[in-house]
C-alpha cells in the first residue's frame, strides 16, 4: 500500500490493491486539493477554514447530540485504546474523548479541537473522507494520504442534512497501531442514529411549513406558485406552476426523499435565496429561468420561508418581477468542473478527458461511462453527483438514468409514439432515450 501511494504521488495512476473509495480520495488530494503528502500534523482550523459556512441552530443541536453520543461510547472506545472525535461539516474538530495515552499521541498529530481534518486540509483520513463519501469509511494505515498519519486506523461517518445533503458533522473512531474491532461500525451507526432522526423530523416539519405557506399564499394570489425547499426541490405546486416545472400538481411532498427536482438551476437559486435570507429576513429576489413550455425565459420571484427564524425554502411566484434582480448574482460553484472524469478499471484508475466520454448510464448508485475503450465504472457514486460535477459543460441530463455528451450526438431519432432517442457518434451508434420532460431542454441544447 505504501509503495502504491508513493507511485501515485509521483504521478502514476495505475495503482493496484487500493480500494476505489481510497483511490478516489487520493486523486482529490493530488489533483484538486494539492495536499502535501509529507504532512505530519493537521493545520489549525483558523488557517484553513475562513470560508466555512456559518453554524445554524440546527447544526448546534446536532453537535450537542453527537457530543453526548461520543461521551456515551467513549468507555467502549477507551477499552480498545482508541479515541472518538466529533467534527463539524468543514472537518474542524469540536471534541475528542478516549484513552489518555492515545489522546496524547493524537495531540502530536493535532487531532484535537481547533484543528482541521477536512480532506482539503489533511488529505485522506477518517473524518475528512467521510465528509466527501456517501457512507461510512475506514482508512487504514498507509491508506492515509499523508505519511505522518500511517500509524492510525480511522473509521468515520458523516451526518447530512436530509434536504440539501450537505454534511453537518462527522463522528470518528481512531486507534494507534491497532485494528478497529468489528463492533466499531455498530458504535458509529448507533451514535449518529439519534442525530439523523432529529434532522429527518426537522425536514418533515419544514416540508409541512412550506406546504402551509403555499396554501395560505395561494388563497390570495393570482400567480402561479410553487414551494421549494432549501435544495430547490418542489414540495408543492399549483396547476400552472406544475406545468412550468414538469411536476405533479397539488401533491404535497413533506418527505424530502420524495420531492421533485425540476432543474439544476433551482438548486443554485435556492442556495442563493437561503444565503440572502440569513442576512436579510425581508429579502426577495427576482430572475428569469428557462421552462419547458416556451423557448422564452419566464420571470420568477423568490420569497424566503422561515421556520423558527431559519430559512427553510422559498415560495416561487412565476411571471412576477418583484424583488431584487439576481440575474447576475447566481451563486458560483465552489469548484469548477473537473478537467478529468475519474473511472475505475480493475485495479487501475483511468483519467478520462470529458470529450472521451459519450454518455453515462446509471445502474442504481453505480455509474457506467461509455467510451471508445468500452464501458468503465465511474469513481463517483450516483449519476446526480456526476451531473453536478459536469454542470456547465457539454453534458446534459436527458433521462433519469442517462447523462449525454452533446458533442458526441450524431442524430436524433423519433419513435412511433413521438419519443426521442439520441444516436451517438460511434461505430456502435448507441441510442440513448430522452425522457418526455427533457425533450424541450434537448431541443434547445441541440438547436432543433
Amino acid at each position: 500500500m505504501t509503495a502504491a501511494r508513493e507511485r501515485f504521488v509521483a504521478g502514476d495512476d495505475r495503482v493496484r490493491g487500493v480500494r476505489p473509495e481510497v483511490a478516489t480520495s487520493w486523486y482529490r488530494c493530488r489533483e484538486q486539493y494539492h495536499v502535501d503528502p509529507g504532512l505530519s500534523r493537521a493545520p489549525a482550523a483558523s488557517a484553513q477554514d475562513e470560508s466555512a459556512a456559518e453554524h445554524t441552530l440546527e447544526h448546534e443541536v446536532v453537535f450537542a447530540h453527537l457530543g453526548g453520543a461520543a461521551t456515551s461510547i467513549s468507555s467502549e472506545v477507551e477499552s480498545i485504546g482508541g479515541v472518538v472525535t466529533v467534527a463539524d461539516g468543514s472537518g474542524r474538530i469540536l471534541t475528542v474523548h478516549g484513552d489518555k495515552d492515545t489522546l496524547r499521541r493524537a495531540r502530536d498529530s493535532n487531532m484535537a479541537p481547533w484543528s482541521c481534518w477536512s480532506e482539503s486540509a489533511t488529505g485522506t483520513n477518517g473524518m475528512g473522507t467521510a465528509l466527501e463519501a456517501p457512507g461510512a469509511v475506514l482508512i487504514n494505515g498507509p491508506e492515509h494520504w499523508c505519511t505522518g498519519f500511517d500509524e492510525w486506523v480511522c473509521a468515520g461517518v458523516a451526518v447530512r442534512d436530509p434536504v440539501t445533503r450537505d454534511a453537518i458533522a462527522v463522528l470518528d473512531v481512531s486507534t494507534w497501531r491497532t485494528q478497529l474491532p468489528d463492533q466499531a461500525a455498530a458504535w458509529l451507526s448507533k451514535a449518529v442514529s439519534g442525530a439523523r432522526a432529529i434532522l429527518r423530523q426537522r425536514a418533515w416539519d419544514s416540508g409541512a411549513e412550506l406546504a402551509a405557506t403555499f396554501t395560505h399564499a395561494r388563497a390570495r394570489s393570482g400567480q402561479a406558485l410553487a414551494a421549494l425547499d432549501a435544495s430547490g426541490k418542489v414540495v408543492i405546486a399549483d396547476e400552472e406552476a406544475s406545468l412550468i416545472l414538469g411536476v405533479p400538481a397539488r401533491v404535497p411532498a413533506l418527505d424530502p426523499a420524495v420531492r421533485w427536482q425540476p432543474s439544476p438551476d433551482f438548486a443554485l437559486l435556492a442556495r442563493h435565496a437561503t444565503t440572502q435570507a440569513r442576512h436579510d429576513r425581508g429579502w426577495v429576489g427576482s430572475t428569469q429561468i428557462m421552462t419547458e413550455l416556451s423557448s422564452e425565459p419566464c420571470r420568477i420571484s423568490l420569497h424566503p420561508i422561515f421556520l423558527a427564524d431559519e430559512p427553510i425554502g422559498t415560495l416561487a411566484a412565476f411571471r412576477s418581477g418583484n424583488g431584487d434582480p439576481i440575474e447576475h448574482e447566481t451563486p458560483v460553484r465552489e469548484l469548477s468542473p473537473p478537467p478529468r472524469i475519474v473511472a475505475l478499471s480493475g485495479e487501475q484508475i483511468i483519467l478520462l478527458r470529458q470529450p472521451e466520454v459519450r454518455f453515462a448510464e446509471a445502474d442504481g448508485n453505480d455509474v457506467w461511462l461509455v467510451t471508445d475503450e468500452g464501458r468503465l465504472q465511474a469513481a463517483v457514486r450516483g449519476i446526480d453527483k456526476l451531473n453536478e460535477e459536469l454542470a456547465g459543460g457539454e453534458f446534459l441530463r436527458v433521462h433519469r438514468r442517462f447523462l449525454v455528451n452533446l458533442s458526441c450526438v450524431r442524430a436524433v431519432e423519433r419513435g412511433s409514439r413521438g419519443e426521442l432517442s439520441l444516436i451517438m457518434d460511434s461505430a456502435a451508434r448507441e441510442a440513448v432515450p430522452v425522457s418526455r420532460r427533457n425533450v424541450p431542454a434537448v431541443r434547445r441544447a441541440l438547436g432543433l
Side-chain angles (χ1 to χ4, degrees):
M1 183 64 68
T2 301
R5 183 181 59 191
E6 290 175 351
R7 291 195 302 272
F8 190 82
V9 169
D12 187 354
D13 297 319
R14 296 170 296 177
V15 294
R16 296 182 178 275
V18 181
R19 292 181 291 131
E21 59 268 33
V22 174
T24 305
S25 174
W26 286 1
Y27 178 79
R28 289 192 296 264
C29 293
R30 188 186 71 181
E31 302 293 330
Q32 185 172 320
Y33 299 138
H34 309 293
V35 180
D36 178 7
L39 200 68
S40 61
R41 285 176 57 85
S46 58
Q48 284 288 331
D49 297 286
E50 296 176 358
S51 61
E54 296 178 1
H55 291 164
T56 66
L57 177 60
E58 185 177 77
H59 294 175
E60 301 293 344
V61 171
V62 171
F63 299 153
H65 194 280
L66 286 184
T71 301
S72 70
I73 66 171
S74 60
S75 59
E76 288 95 334
V77 174
E78 188 174 354
S79 68
I80 62 168
V83 295
V84 57
T85 305
V86 177
D88 69 8
S90 298
R92 300 177 295 185
I93 291 182
L94 305 177
T95 184
V96 184
H97 303 280
D99 177 73
K100 292 181 179 180
D101 290 336
T102 310
L103 282 171
R104 282 194 292 270
R105 294 187 182 280
R107 283 193 291 271
D108 291 340
S109 298
N110 211 13
M111 192 187 298
W114 301 292
S115 63
C116 184
W117 284 77
S118 65
E119 232 183 40
S120 61
T122 315
T124 306
N125 69 88
M127 285 172 278
T129 304
L131 291 171
E132 303 265 4
V137 300
L138 172 68
I139 304 299
N140 192 347
E143 289 182 331
H144 287 87
W145 175 252
C146 301
T147 57
F149 308 131
D150 283 1
E151 305 289 353
W152 289 96
V153 178
C154 310
V157 62
V159 176
R160 298 184 179 277
D161 186 313
V163 175
T164 64
R165 302 307 302 164
D166 293 337
I168 295 177
V170 61
L171 189 69
D172 176 89
V173 174
S174 300
T175 54
W176 171 265
R177 294 181 176 176
T178 304
Q179 292 299 314
L180 286 167
D182 294 338
Q183 61 265 37
W187 292 343
L188 291 172
S189 297
K190 182 178 179 181
V192 302
S193 61
R196 287 174 170 170
I198 290 172
L199 291 172
R200 285 194 299 269
Q201 184 60 55
R202 172 72 172 181
W204 188 279
D205 293 343
S206 297
E209 181 65 23
L210 289 166
T213 301
F214 164 87
T215 301
H216 180 71
R218 186 64 188 144
R220 53 187 176 84
S221 173
Q223 297 175 322
L225 295 177
L228 312 176
D229 67 18
S231 70
K233 290 184 178 179
V234 180
V235 175
I236 188 170
D238 63 18
E239 286 80 358
E240 189 175 358
S242 70
L243 291 174
I244 294 172
L245 298 171
V247 303
R250 294 190 176 276
V251 180
L254 305 187
D255 184 348
V258 298
R259 295 172 189 168
W260 302 276
Q261 180 70 67
S263 162
D265 293 338
F266 282 92
L268 295 173
L269 289 172
R271 287 183 181 274
H272 181 70
T274 300
T275 300
Q276 294 298 320
R278 284 204 176 103
H279 298 294
D280 179 6
R281 187 181 174 88
W283 178 89
V284 175
S286 177
T287 188
Q288 296 184 76
I289 60 168
M290 297 301 299
T291 72
E292 297 185 1
L293 290 182
S294 172
S295 59
E296 297 298 322
C298 176
R299 198 74 182 171
I300 179 177
S301 289
L302 301 175
H303 305 255
I305 301 173
F306 296 82
L307 178 62
D309 287 332
E310 279 295 324
I312 57 172
T314 57
L315 185 68
F318 294 88
R319 302 191 179 93
S320 170
N322 299 323
D324 294 338
I326 58 175
E327 290 92 339
H328 304 294
E329 297 178 20
T330 300
V332 178
R333 287 170 53 84
E334 294 180 1
L335 299 172
S336 58
R340 299 292 183 100
I341 301 175
V342 185
L344 306 172
S345 178
E347 296 181 336
Q348 288 189 346
I349 295 176
I350 309 296
L351 304 181
L352 297 165
R353 294 185 300 275
Q354 293 186 14
E356 294 181 280
V357 179
R358 293 195 291 278
F359 64 92
E361 180 179 0
D363 180 12
N365 282 330
D366 293 332
V367 179
W368 294 92
L369 307 173
V370 178
T371 74
D372 289 338
E373 298 183 30
R375 286 170 62 89
L376 302 172
Q377 186 172 1
V380 68
R381 297 281 289 173
I383 198 166
D384 289 341
K385 180 66 173 176
L386 182 62
N387 185 39
E388 180 184 338
E389 291 183 356
L390 297 176
E394 290 289 332
F395 284 83
L396 180 69
R397 185 76 170 268
V398 301
H399 189 279
R400 64 181 180 85
R401 291 182 51 227
F402 291 94
L403 187 64
V404 167
N405 187 339
L406 295 174
S407 66
C408 296
V409 175
R410 166 66 72 176
V412 180
E413 186 176 273
R414 181 183 293 277
S416 59
R417 297 182 178 179
E419 68 274 15
L420 295 185
S421 297
L422 302 180
I423 309 303
M424 307 312 294
D425 188 6
S426 66
R429 289 293 194 270
E430 304 99 339
V432 178
V434 178
S435 65
R436 189 173 300 276
R437 64 173 295 182
N438 286 314
V439 167
V442 170
R443 288 185 179 278
R444 288 195 299 270
L446 295 177
L448 301 178

